[in-house]
Each structure stands twice: as C-alpha cells, then as structure tokens.
Amino acid sequence: MARNTPSFVCQNCGAVTSRWQGKCDSCGEWNTIVEEGGASDIGAGPGRPARKGRAFTLEPLAGQTQEAPRLASGIAELDRVTGGGFVRGSVLLLGGDPGIGKSTLLIQTTAALARAGHRSVYISGEEAVAQVRLRAERLGLSSAPVELAAETSVEDIIATLSQGKTPRLVIIDSIQTMWTNAVESAPGTVTQVRGATQVLIRYAKKSGASIILVGHVTKDGQIAGPRVVEHMVDAVMSFEGEGAHLFRILRAMKNRFGPTDEIGVFEMTGGGLREVQNPSELFLSERDLGAPGTAVFAGVEGSRPLLVEMQALVAPTTLGTPRRAVVGWDQNRLSMVLAVLEAHCGVKLGGHDVYLNVAGGLRIQEPAADLAAAAALVSSLANAPLPADAVYFGEVSLSGMVRPVAQTAARLKEAQKLGFARAICPEPGREGAPEAGLTINGVGGLANLVADIASRGAPGRRTNAPRPVAARAGAPALTTRKPAGDDFDNLG
Ligand code: TYD
Ligand code: MG
C-alpha cells in the first residue's frame, strides 16, 4: 500500500522536492521550502478509494460570450493600462518601489469611483486611519465617500466587506501586511502572503468585487514574496519612476483582460498624481538642443506615439575593457548596434567607453530605437550635433540595413505635432511614404547615416588627431566627404 509521502514545495517558485532543503535549487531562494500535504493528493495511489467520474457537458467553440463587465475609473491613464477599467471579480497586483506613489494613486482611484457612486473600500495595513485621512486631505479628497479601515486580518476584512452591498473596488495596501488564520506562519512570510492572496482571490471571484493588492518590490525589482502570487492574480502592474524625476509610469506586466504594452504617464505634484495627456512634451521639455550625442526617438508605446531623447556619450577609455553602460534600453541591443557600427560602418569603438541613456527615466523596449541610438552614438563620437528638428526611428539589422517598423504614420504625426520638420527613418516601402507634413529622409543602410553625421563633425575638437585615411589599407570608401576624425576609418 502506498504511503502518503510528504512533498516539500518552494513558496517562491512552486518547485516540489522530496525532502526539506534550506535553499531552493530551482529559484535559489532561502527558507522558502515548506512541507505540504501528502503526495496522494495528486495521482491517487491504490490506497485511495476510486471515485467515479462525473459527466459534464462539453461546449461548442461558438456561442454566447459575455463581455467582461468593466468599470472605468475615470482616470484615463489608469484605464488605458488596465484595458478600459476594472473587471468584475478580478484581482490586480500593483508593485512599485516604496514612496513611488502607489498609495496616492489608489486613494485617488477609490475617491474617483466613490464620487461616481460605487462602493469603494480602502484597507490599509501599513498606515493608521489618521495618516490616510491626512493624505486624502492634502489631495482634496476628504469629501469622497470612501470607506476606510486599518486592518490586517483577511478573515475580518472579508466578514466586514460581506456586510451590506458588495463593494465594487477594494484596495489592500499592502498584501505583505495581511495574514490569514488558514496558515500558521507569521505575517509577512511567503506562506502567509500566498495564503492571504488565495483567500482574497476567492472572495473576489465569489462576490464580483474587484480587488487591487499593493505589493512591495525588493531591491532587484521583483514583487516581494512569492512569485506565485503573480501567477495567481489576473493582472500585474508596476508603478515606476526615477527618484529625481517627477513623472511616474504605470505599466502592465501581465493582464488577462487587456493589453500589456500600454503605459500610463503621471506627474507627482504637490496635489497628488496628475495625468499627463501628452507625454512627448514632458519627455522633451528639458532637451539639450545642439549638444552632440542626443537624438530624438519617435517611438510607440502600445497605441500611443511617444517622443523621447536618447543620449549617448562615447569617450576614450582608461580601462582595459571599455565600459558599456545603458539606462532605459536593452544592453543586448546596444551591443548589437555597436557591433553593426564596427563591422559595417567602419566606426571603431573598441577604445571607447560607451554610455547610453534614455532621458527622463523611461524604459524603451522597441527595436525601432536602434537607429536613434546609433545616431546618438555616432554624433557623440564625431562630436557632431544632430539637426534639432529631426526625429529618428528604424530597426537596424545585423547586415547594417535599416528595416521598416510598425506604425510609421503615427510616429510621423506625433513628430509633426511637436514641431519637428524631418524624420530620418527607413526607406518607405511599397505603399510609399505616408502622408506627413514633414520631410522624410529614407535611410537604406546605417553606413549612409554614419557618413552623413561624420561629415558634420568638428574635427580637431576631439582628442584623436585626424590621420590620413589612406594610411590604412583595405578600408572601403563609402563617401568622398571629409572624415570627422580617426575613429571613422572608411570615410575619406
Ligand atoms: P506614497 O503614495 O505614500 O508611496 P507608496 O505608497 O508607493 O510608498 O507616496 C509617497 C511620496 O509621494 C512621498 O515621497 C511624497 C510624495 N507625494 C507628493 O509629492 N505629493 C502628494 O500630494 C502626495 C500625497 C505624496
Ligand atoms: Mg504606501
């Protein structure tokens, strides 16, 4: 007869082991392995009485579907990210660094819903009622009929919420402070966080209330506590921002009911979070016009075009291995662009440190930023400022060609709206250039762009004195324009 062998489950990643260990082999976390039930829970052995299966009805693929009933918060930047509002019975996890503004965003959201006549409850496990009131007062929201409590027991919370009308939105700030009777470990432990989340999810599904859980973020940017919580909830959002900048970006990392590529932009003001309807204006507001090493990238985040400045600094290195540092963009893409510049455009960067920064603390994921990054890098190396009225976009392939990207028309329209006169972008495809009020400079290969930028450079201002290009054999001539310096070996 099969014995019920206990199984040990990592509370962080869910990996199962046959014996207890201090460290999980799968995710590397310490003290997350907990004994859970017997192995007979799954795959009943011969010792378990066989249960007769119950027949259920199979459904055809076609049929009546119910549109998820959503409730828009009225905060457009938030609704954009959730996909149009809070879905009934859904649970959303909001992560972010301490002090970034999660509690502020959520008190504003509950106030907006309460004012629109929906029952909204704000449960704070971190702050006293008086502190939450004080913040609401600062934000001018005291008059909103939000129901408020400072509580940490999920059983008590659910018992309270079950009285009267089902709330439409419940905020739990934060999930790490909650605890449930169902689990014995101390509040804040992984097991407790998971247990409390489970109880709250069950309540949401049963009652139809939408719940937002606030989750703390660890130093490396993960939502603290079990990763499994991320799998349990319907949507995961993160609230991001740079300490020094006032704007905050809300991003969906997982969304069962909406897109994950939209971003919401807010600005932290003395009166709380303000929506930013035109983020491009904000991101370009502190532009360093005429400085070498900056290029404006015409990007798209979700359905919205967004103009940002990419800044590069290329400086001779004093180290054996030159530094490649990047903030706001993918390190691997930077390496790729540098390799293409070296291999196909004759730009030598082996002796230079390279720094690339996306201004304003935005994080870009699009490959369309390749061309803007390359332009900024070459501009810095050649000490040649790029034209202030130009935007750049296009994907660079490993062969050095500039490839078309999606949503060209939207990018061009946004650039024109903000007063740009030129777009440096991939050659228009078969369908021809989209109607735009700006000049389109199609770039077929990255080498053409490099030659163009290098020709604007101010030689002599760089530390490397220009040397006759003919001294190095084998370098293919691309153009007859004057070389900007020693770092371009195939122009001459
Ligand atoms: P908070 O919402 O408490 O952050 P979190 O819940 O993510 O930890 O925000 C706290 C910060 O926001 C704090 O540093 C002060 C700032 N803040 C403002 O600048 N203006 C305001 O109106 C409010 C309420 C907060
Ligand atoms: Mg808070």
Side-chain angles (χ1 to χ4, degrees):
M1 184 164 152
R3 260 190 330 127
N4 282 5
T5 42
S7 56
F8 295 86
V9 183
C10 171
Q11 306 293 304
N12 185 51
C13 67
V16 182
T17 55
S18 58
R19 61 190 173 83
W20 189 86
Q21 296 166 201
K23 184 182 178 187
C24 173
D25 290 334
S26 178
C27 65
E29 284 293 313
W30 284 90
N31 297 327
T32 56
I33 299 197
V34 169
E35 183 178 339
E36 274 187 19
S40 65
D41 287 357
I42 322 143
R48 200 164 169 185
R51 184 177 79 92
K52 202 156 171 278
R54 175 181 56 85
F56 53 87
T57 28
L58 295 162
E59 305 261 356
L61 204 52
Q64 286 272 317
T65 50
Q66 264 188 332
E67 176 61 26
R70 292 173 183 280
L71 177 65
S73 65
I75 301 175
E77 294 296 303
L78 174 63
D79 293 337
R80 176 200 300 282
V81 179
T82 54
F86 304 114
V87 175
R88 261 189 196 289
S90 69
V91 179
L92 193 155
L93 179 66
L94 176 69
D97 288 331
I100 204 79
K102 301 181 293 297
S103 304
T104 308
L105 176 67
L106 294 177
I107 196 82
Q108 286 182 262
T109 309
T110 36
L113 283 188
R115 281 192 171 144
H118 303 282
R119 185 178 177 206
S120 316
V121 181
Y122 189 102
I123 310 280
S124 178
E126 302 196 330
E127 292 165 294
V129 169
Q131 281 174 294
V132 182
R133 277 206 188 116
L134 207 66
R135 180 187 287 125
E137 209 170 295
R138 265 190 67 185
L139 302 173
L141 301 172
S142 299
S143 63
V146 175
E147 293 169 51
L148 190 64
E151 272 303 328
T152 54
S153 156
V154 284
E155 277 79 19
D156 292 355
I157 292 170
I158 288 172
T160 311
L161 295 180
S162 306
Q163 293 173 346
K165 197 170 146 222
T166 304
R168 188 58 185 85
L169 181 68
V170 181
I171 311 290
I172 303 288
D173 188 0
S174 64
I175 187 63
Q176 275 90 0
T177 55
M178 296 294 139
W179 65 280
T180 165
N181 296 334
V183 183
E184 264 172 29
S185 25
T189 57
V190 171
T191 323
Q192 271 293 357
V193 171
R194 191 162 93 144
T197 308
Q198 226 148 24
V199 175
L200 288 165
I201 289 177
R202 210 174 311 133
Y203 168 74
K205 301 281 174 239
K206 210 170 87 208
S207 68
S210 306
I211 298 186
I212 302 182
L213 308 172
V214 173
H216 286 290
V217 166
T218 56
K219 271 186 242 99
D220 53 355
Q222 306 284 4
I223 293 179
R227 298 260 23 217
V228 268
V229 168
E230 293 188 24
H231 300 302
M232 288 155 72
V233 296
D234 297 303
V236 180
M237 317 251 146
S238 80
F239 206 34
E240 311 166 350
E242 293 272 316
H245 298 286
L246 287 178
F247 55 85
R248 306 276 181 263
I249 291 161
L250 185 68
R251 201 184 278 279
M253 290 147 85
K254 160 185 172 177
N255 195 350
R256 286 189 184 145
F257 307 112
T260 52
D261 52 359
E262 295 284 0
I263 62 167
V265 185
F266 296 89
E267 189 179 9
M268 184 59 99
T269 67
L273 288 159
R274 191 180 65 81
E275 294 176 58
V276 177
Q277 258 114 18
N278 195 340
S280 302
E281 265 168 21
L282 187 75
F283 289 123
L284 294 180
S285 60
E286 289 155 27
R287 255 182 95 197
D288 204 356
L289 284 172
T294 67
V296 176
F297 166 51
V300 171
E301 285 284 342
S303 60
R304 178 162 60 173
L306 194 63
L307 265 48
V308 282
E309 187 182 74
M310 297 193 84
Q311 306 168 338
L313 176 65
V314 179
T317 186
T318 53
L319 307 166
T321 314
R323 290 197 59 160
R324 268 89 179 93
V326 53
V327 178
W329 201 42
D330 184 4
Q331 182 92 43
N332 292 330
R333 285 217 81 88
L334 173 66
S335 306
M336 195 204 84
V337 168
L338 293 178
V340 172
L341 284 171
E342 295 227 13
H344 298 290
C345 312
V347 180
K348 293 188 298 156
L349 293 154
H352 291 84
D353 289 334
V354 172
Y355 303 90
L356 189 78
N357 178 37
V358 177
L362 189 72
R363 204 154 39 81
I364 296 180
Q365 277 147 351
E366 271 193 291
D370 292 353
L371 195 67
L377 290 166
V378 175
S379 159
S380 173
L381 181 69
N383 205 18
L386 299 172
D389 62 349
V391 294
Y392 294 79
F393 63 89
E395 183 178 347
V396 172
S397 73
L398 286 177
S399 60
M401 300 311 289
V402 179
R403 294 226 301 251
V405 293
Q407 310 204 51
T408 300
R411 295 172 205 267
L412 294 174
K413 210 166 133 216
E414 178 80 355
Q416 193 203 354
K417 205 168 83 188
L418 286 158
F420 286 88
R422 261 190 286 175
I424 320 284
C425 57
E427 302 271 13
R430 251 175 302 147
E431 66 276 19
E435 285 289 315
L438 31 70
T439 315
I440 294 175
N441 294 5
V443 184
L446 190 58
N448 303 348
L449 180 73
V450 172
D452 191 49
I453 298 171
S455 69
R456 311 160 139 267
R461 273 171 68 195
R462 291 204 67 82
T463 45
N464 297 355
R467 238 194 300 154
V469 170
R472 262 162 290 142
L478 269 176
T479 160
T480 51
R481 276 184 271 225
K482 208 167 153 235
D486 194 34
D487 308 312
F488 301 89
D489 63 359
N490 58 352
L491 318 169

